[in-house]
Amino acid sequence: MTSTSTPFARNQWYVAAYAHEIGRELLGRTILGEPVVLYRTEDDHTPVALADRCVHRRFPLSESRLDGDRIVCGYHGFTYDTTGTCVSVPGQKRVPRTARVASYPLVEQDALIWIWIGDPALADPQTIPRARHLADPAWTTVTGMEPIDGDYGLLVDNLMDLSHETYLHGGCIGTPEVAETPITTEVDEDAGIVRVSRHMDDAACPPFYARSTGIDGRITRWQDIEYFAPCLYLLHSRIAPVGVLPEADGTDPNAFHTEITYAITPSSEGKVYDFWAVSRDFATDDAEVTAFLRDFNHEVVMQDVNALNLLQRTLDTEPDGYQELSINIDTGALAARRILARLAEEGAKPVEAVR
Amino acid sequence: MTSTSTPFARNQWYVAAYAHEIGRELLGRTILGEPVVLYRTEDDHTPVALADRCVHRRFPLSESRLDGDRIVCGYHGFTYDTTGTCVSVPGQKRVPRTARVASYPLVEQDALIWIWIGDPALADPQTIPRARHLADPAWTTVTGMEPIDGDYGLLVDNLMDLSHETYLHGGCIGTPEVAETPITTEVDEDAGIVRVSRHMDDAACPPFYARSTGIDGRITRWQDIEYFAPCLYLLHSRIAPVGVLPEADGTDPNAFHTEITYAITPSSEGKVYDFWAVSRDFATDDAEVTAFLRDFNHEVVMQDVNALNLLQRTLDTEPDGYQELSINIDTGALAARRILARLAEEGAKPVEAVR
Amino acid sequence: MTSTSTPFARNQWYVAAYAHEIGRELLGRTILGEPVVLYRTEDDHTPVALADRCVHRRFPLSESRLDGDRIVCGYHGFTYDTTGTCVSVPGQKRVPRTARVASYPLVEQDALIWIWIGDPALADPQTIPRARHLADPAWTTVTGMEPIDGDYGLLVDNLMDLSHETYLHGGCIGTPEVAETPITTEVDEDAGIVRVSRHMDDAACPPFYARSTGIDGRITRWQDIEYFAPCLYLLHSRIAPVGVLPEADGTDPNAFHTEITYAITPSSEGKVYDFWAVSRDFATDDAEVTAFLRDFNHEVVMQDVNALNLLQRTLDTEPDGYQELSINIDTGALAARRILARLAEEGAKPVEAVR
């Protein structure tokens, strides 16, 4: 492990895929360093996740084919059912009793497929954080996923400190006010939640919002981040003409709300899946706005992807023990790192114990 | 060495090239980790193999040019004769006495160039296994060579267990019967020979044979493998309409015979040269069949090459000490591994002794 | 460090760029393993070199933008003045006192930008070797720079021993006489200067000089190398019709003089910047000759680049402790290696002491 690697927290839920990505084609992903093959059963479309390595000679099962609900290895035909049990081998009737691959607990919720890589006995679906807007018909959502050749901690850093919008995404979603406006940070260490808020009372409206909302003057812009370590990140974004505030009863009919969702799923060391979604409660039927937000947010995400790929390559050439200098804007990211370190440590314990 | 590397057996003969590949162009190959440059002399076309590194500054001689039978280094002109002796250097008349590169014993036989990388005192041409059909006018042969980015042991595994034809080469040379039919395995540990046979009495005829023999019904299909460790692999293939057997006198006029030859030559660690040839005793003058078998077998070989490249990349990311599960079909491959381990150990001894 | 790496001599001047390469675009280079960003100030065009890593999260400043004379980091907007002092950070007024990046001494001289990576207290501009012809209006110069994926010692070797012209550059600048004619070598160990001379009284005229000078018969060709370790290499080339010698008073009106300059600047380990220039005192206004020499010398340099890239890849696969065999032509290169080893050792001492 290099000095830039954030350890993996194993006993946690992670997003393996969007629900719509899993079907009757085998999909291979590597999650927390574990190769996984994903598919759905033929009749009831139940998602299945098995270890992506044939017990025979380690051929990737994701390079194989489905026969009904069974995976037939593409090399020698070892055949596995949905539990990972090998049910057929070539050239003989008897299947060795130890012939099975791991199967992973999955939960399909909020248009996401959540996976549990750690100790299955600890997998409690109740602890999965919610992102209800992703499956709520009152919201229209665009999504995407980009793999990044960078430590997942770099993506957490990136998302926890939005002052970078002004510089990396200037002209897209950043304006001077984002970097200038101080943040407030709240940390719930026990629950593993970090909240970072930045309320701009009078800010320029960046193209991302001007084009999607139709506002053409200055705006009140609120950014309220909730990070449910290790995987789910929600940015509650509220945009309104300057001076327009929520009503006394808590409703907010004159503002535009956008839920920006990220799922940060560590792949192998130094690689991370960057799942992103943009959900809105306005112009929900406007296909043009949908297309604009999909393309424009993809462009923004690629600015981050390129910057983090570059940053990882840069860090890979730095001498060990290089220095960082943190300031107030980093409070949320530092809290997140602290929580991730604790979760990784806790996740490591049961695994050690059973060895 | 990673956990997936099969050790090299040095004191053994290996195929360096097809005879037709060596000529008046310098050819560089790496065999058992040793860089070698190959060419033929001008007058009598004797093949020559020298170490592919100039004594001066290690420039590859294969990137140089021939002057008659001498190699003139492309960097500073150090010049070597066919024995590897340096006979000329720039700027001075005197050539240092120690200026020489290794020369390797070669044998040209059966349209192959065999090389001996180990202790030259042990190089006995009588121990080279034969593949007479390759140079026999009664057979028509097509050939090719593909480098694989994989441990040579993976190619040995692949070839010793043909049940993979059904899955990896389904629709080409594989049919369900190959995987279903049990094998018999004979091992001559002392001679280093493994024989694996699979006799299918009533099998579908795959396109490879249907198109080349003209048979359109079901067939009797015999696969008789002889592996002469470490390098030469012969698959004696017999195809005939169902029920047609050899005569009582041993002749077999109503069957179609194909000799499928592989030479498995380890290059550097994790890389192997896959020499392949298909020889037939039928339709020997039919250019269309020749072209078909060349193209079709190349396609089959590339299925193996792609699978083994993938498998090696996969194994490279596996944790050390990963598990395999072997069954009856692996008997031949496991015997081959055992023999290779012994040959490597024996080959290592003399080299250790002279150090 | 592999067995093929020449250690870096830190307390020395190196060419970071041609003067014309530095302007108002940020230029990133890695010199002696240190990432550096270069630019000029807006008003007086002073060249500036800062460490190319933001103190905040190590983002490369060369991927940022200039705001006047200040660099604004492209990730979060940390802003640095020309001394490397951070003068602004996002979200707060107070800038941490320790927020600064290293700034490197630069000297602009002879159309070159010289940089000092080692202990700044030892940086004495008087010790920079001169290449006055590069900025002398009596000479016309063409230049270029090629990065090589090879140890910088390989480039020093290459340039100190021009016998390679006959083989690697035959048909361009090499003729048989270059390899055949013995050299004389003078070494000033204390000053770190190596001089290698080869005077050919009667030689073929290679295309490089035939086309640029118009000479079409045999020539007197003098090659006088001066290498000022570690970075500056001058080849004083004198071409004249056979028998034409300098006058008794030292003037040399009937010869053609070419100054071939190289600056050898180690980048990261195993990488080197190859700055090259060809200056002539004849046909100085002839644009066709200028274009010819630029294109032709670029071609020659690329022959070296390709050969050294290949040589480095070759050496990377050699076992440790591989042998070389040196002869008379290597006297200069061996002296250079000795001097470089001493300079590296001396350069290492002060750095160790201050730690």
Side-chain angles (χ1 to χ4, degrees), chain B residues 53 55-58 75 91-92, chain C residues 158 179 314 318 325-326 330:
Chain B
R53 294 290 179 266
V55 295
H56 179 223
R57 289 292 179 268
R58 318 300 297 164
Y75 197 2
Q92 63 188 57
Chain C
N158 173 281
T314 302
E318 290 284 287
L325 186 148
S326 297
D330 299 306

Side-chain angles (χ1 to χ4, degrees), chain B residues 33 35 52-60 63 65 72-79 88-92 94 96-100, chain C residues 154 157-158 161 163-165 167-168 179-182 307-308 310-311 314-315 317-318 322-330 334 337:
Chain B
D52 189 20
R53 294 290 179 266
C54 182
V55 295
H56 179 223
R57 289 292 179 268
R58 318 300 297 164
F59 197 75
E63 300 287 329
R65 66 178 179 80
V72 180
C73 178
Y75 197 2
H76 297 94
F78 280 57
T79 301
S88 171
V89 299
Q92 63 188 57
R94 199 182 65 78
R97 290 196 324 154
T98 57
R100 63 171 57 247
Chain C
L154 297 185
D157 277 0
N158 173 281
D161 173 11
S163 72
H164 81 271
E165 290 186 355
Y167 303 96
L168 193 58
E180 287 162 8
T181 306
L308 296 183
L310 168 64
L311 188 53
T314 302
L315 295 174
T317 66
E318 290 284 287
Y322 62 82
Q323 294 285 314
E324 294 183 328
L325 186 148
S326 297
I327 58 174
N328 293 349
I329 55 164
D330 299 306
L334 295 178
R337 290 185 186 184

Side-chain angles (χ1 to χ4, degrees), chain A residues 35 52-60 63 65 72-78 89-92 96 98-100, chain B residues 157-158 161 163-164 167-168 179-180 307-308 310-311 314-315 317-318 322-330 337:
Chain A
D52 190 18
R53 295 290 179 267
C54 182
V55 295
H56 179 223
R57 290 292 178 267
R58 318 299 299 162
F59 196 75
E63 299 287 330
R65 66 177 178 80
V72 181
C73 178
Y75 197 1
H76 297 95
F78 280 57
V89 299
Q92 63 188 53
T98 58
R100 62 170 57 248
Chain B
D157 277 359
N158 173 281
D161 173 11
S163 72
H164 81 272
Y167 303 96
L168 194 57
E180 286 163 9
L308 296 183
L310 168 64
L311 187 54
T314 302
L315 295 175
T317 66
E318 290 284 288
Y322 61 82
Q323 296 284 316
E324 293 182 328
L325 186 148
S326 296
I327 57 173
N328 293 350
I329 56 166
D330 299 306
R337 290 184 186 184

Side-chain angles (χ1 to χ4, degrees), chain C residues 297-317:
Chain C
N297 205 61
H298 179 256
E299 199 176 306
V300 168
V301 168
M302 289 312 295
Q303 291 169 342
D304 285 321
V305 169
N306 292 333
L308 296 183
N309 285 344
L310 168 64
L311 188 53
Q312 185 65 58
R313 287 196 307 272
T314 302
L315 295 174
D316 287 344
T317 66

Side-chain angles (χ1 to χ4, degrees), chain C residues 13-27:
Chain C
W13 291 99
Y14 291 91
V15 172
Y18 286 110
H20 69 256
E21 290 183 291
I22 310 294
R24 297 289 298 163
E25 297 288 316
L26 294 169
L27 176 68

Side-chain angles (χ1 to χ4, degrees), chain B residues 178-235:
Chain B
V178 179
E180 286 163 9
T181 307
I183 53 166
T184 60
T185 304
E186 281 177 35
V187 184
D188 183 337
E189 297 271 357
D190 289 341
I193 302 174
V194 182
R195 293 186 174 84
V196 178
S197 291
R198 175 183 280 112
H199 286 202
M200 297 163 267
D201 293 333
D202 181 0
C205 188
F208 185 83
Y209 289 117
R211 290 270 311 265
S212 57
T213 64
I215 297 180
D216 65 359
R218 291 182 69 83
I219 57 173
T220 293
R221 181 179 183 185
W222 294 359
Q223 296 179 322
D224 293 290
I225 294 169
E226 287 188 294
Y227 173 52
F228 303 87
C231 187
L232 188 70
Y233 170 99
L234 304 180
L235 167 59

